[in-house]
Amino acid sequence: MTQRERAGRRSLIILILMVAGEGAFLLPFVVARVFRPTMLEVFGITNLELGTAFSLYGIVAMVSYLAGGPLADRYPARRLMAAALLATGSGGIVLAGIPSPGAMNVLWAFWGCTSILLFWAAMIRAAREWGGASMQGRAYGLLDGGRGLIGALVASLAVAVFALLLPGDASASTPEERESAFRAVIWVFTALTLAGAAAVWIIIPDNRPVAQSGAAPPLDRQRQGAAPAGAALPSPSVPAETAAGHRPRDSTPAAGGRWPALRGVMAAMRMPTVWLQGVIVVCSYTAYKATDDFSLLARDALGYGDVAASGIGAMSLWIRAVAAAAAGFLGDRIDASRVVVLSFAALIVSCGLIAVGVLTPGPAWMLIVTIAMASAGIYALRGVYFALLAEGAVPLAFTGSATGIVSVAGFTPDIFMGPLMGVLLDRSPGVAGHQHVFAVVVAFGVVGLLASLAFRRVARRQRAGS
């Protein structure tokens, strides 16, 4: 294989990881994030009932995160991810039937298993291996930024389909017309999820993870050229090869005798950086869950209709595409943890402006710019917080297990944030409820900022002692 062919294959692999990474969450989250006002009306539910479904997703996901880590260290990403997307897409058939609140709870719990147990840790490990020794920030930044770009494209397409299927004056549409248009949107998301499963199965080779006990080199040595991109850590889909093109005979599956699943979990649990990373992720993810509120905020604060409010939700996804990728590239230059600190600062300022109410009433552009700034900080965090695995010196062979531990702690907002937002929004109708939501985000942002500063201190000590 020539250098150009190898580069082209690597580019195709990261592209498919982006497609799959967003496809797994289109139905559970993006539908509600972009079309929340419409979804509440068509399904005849309250914010609390929708939040309860999200919470059940989170409860199942917590168990799935921990169990899925060792699976990712043992089985090929292609099989795990394709099966996850196929199962998740099948749930879209149920959603298109406009299920009752009780059936929604079961559906979201099902998605908590399909999109996490088989998918999440496998994707994170694949991205880490793709990034090699010197491009960890770039790998995760491209992954999340690409996911954001795909999500934005899909959301914009869905908004266009929704608007096209409504009468010329969308505000005059009947409930039946809105339901029919929204059902078409669900079918678009379902078809794209199933297409992602096919793409993973076709493009990603069926390679087992390879056990490697060492951590990635310290980041200061990475910048001095310790290893070329992709040399120390093999691509998830390109077998480690000798110069002659043959796989080395001593490439041992990660779940073999050398690194039993339980040993990987216990070793990762003894690392302080893993727990600090969990705190960073939980604070980041709390803010991310609040992006579900942007379209509803636009309706309540700016008086936007369903289509315009959905456009604000789609705008946030476009910002994700740029912010996450830029944060990843910046993280490879100045350390991912430093980017995390700067992103938390931006999040605290922007969400604080929404929380204190200085933007409403006021010109629409001021609130939209603040939403854009908040989105940039939130999505920059998503672009780099898993790059902290390498900065925190987590061995590659423990990537799945460490990802499971970080995710169990970090994604608990899937359990509590949905119901909490529902209570805050339903008890304080109008702009006041949104202010309360973003006050919560600011509080978590402050904790996250402190945790990221502590992570930097511990990581520096580890590098100094190595």
Side-chain angles (χ1 to χ4, degrees), residues 305-440:
D306 285 358
V307 174
S310 299
I312 296 296
M315 177 200 72
S316 176
L317 294 177
W318 280 105
I319 292 171
R320 173 186 177 186
V322 177
F329 279 81
L330 186 61
D332 285 337
R333 297 181 64 86
I334 67 171
D335 290 346
S337 60
R338 187 172 297 177
V339 176
V340 168
V341 170
L342 296 174
S343 300
F344 270 123
L347 181 157
I348 291 168
V349 171
S350 54
C351 292
L353 290 174
I354 298 175
V356 298
V358 299
L359 302 174
T360 52
W365 68 266
M366 290 180 59
L367 180 58
I368 293 172
V369 169
T370 304
I371 289 174
M373 180 180 173
S375 299
I378 291 167
Y379 291 123
L381 286 167
R382 286 180 59 85
V384 295
Y385 56 42
F386 274 107
L388 298 176
L389 289 168
E391 188 173 337
V394 174
L396 176 61
F398 297 160
T399 298
S401 298
T403 297
I405 294 168
V406 169
S407 299
V408 167
F411 295 128
T412 50
D414 276 335
I415 297 177
F416 69 80
M417 195 58 181
L420 177 59
M421 286 176 60
V423 169
L424 294 175
L425 293 170
D426 289 341
R427 287 187 177 178
S428 301
V431 176
H434 302 290
Q435 291 176 249
H436 297 160
V437 168
F438 286 97
V440 171

Side-chain angles (χ1 to χ4, degrees), residues 50-61 108 413-419:
L50 179 58
T52 300
F54 286 150
S55 181
L56 289 170
Y57 174 101
I59 291 170
V60 175
W108 259 264
D414 276 335
I415 297 177
F416 69 80
M417 195 58 181

Side-chain angles (χ1 to χ4, degrees), residues 217-244:
L219 297 189
D220 53 350
R221 275 186 265 159
Q222 289 179 13
R223 296 192 194 98
Q224 295 171 13
L233 307 181
S235 162
S237 304
V238 181
E241 296 175 344
T242 63

Side-chain angles (χ1 to χ4, degrees), residues 1 35 55 65 76 96 120 128 166 197 205 214 260 282 284 298 307 315 369 412:
M1 183 181 294
F35 294 96
S55 181
Y65 280 123
W120 182 252
R128 184 179 180 185
L166 290 176
V282 73
S284 304
V307 174
M315 177 200 72
V369 169
T412 50

Side-chain angles (χ1 to χ4, degrees), residues 278-332:
V279 176
I280 290 169
V281 174
V282 73
C283 296
S284 304
Y285 199 66
T286 298
Y288 172 69
K289 294 294 290 183
T291 63
D292 289 351
D293 189 43
F294 284 154
S295 60
L296 197 60
L297 173 63
R299 189 194 71 177
D300 292 345
L302 303 178
Y304 283 3
D306 285 358
V307 174
S310 299
I312 296 296
M315 177 200 72
S316 176
L317 294 177
W318 280 105
I319 292 171
R320 173 186 177 186
V322 177
F329 279 81
L330 186 61
D332 285 337

Side-chain angles (χ1 to χ4, degrees), residues 117-134:
L117 178 66
L118 300 177
F119 187 87
W120 182 252
M123 181 188 70
I124 295 300
R125 173 162 184 146
R128 184 179 180 185
E129 292 178 343
W130 184 93
S134 59

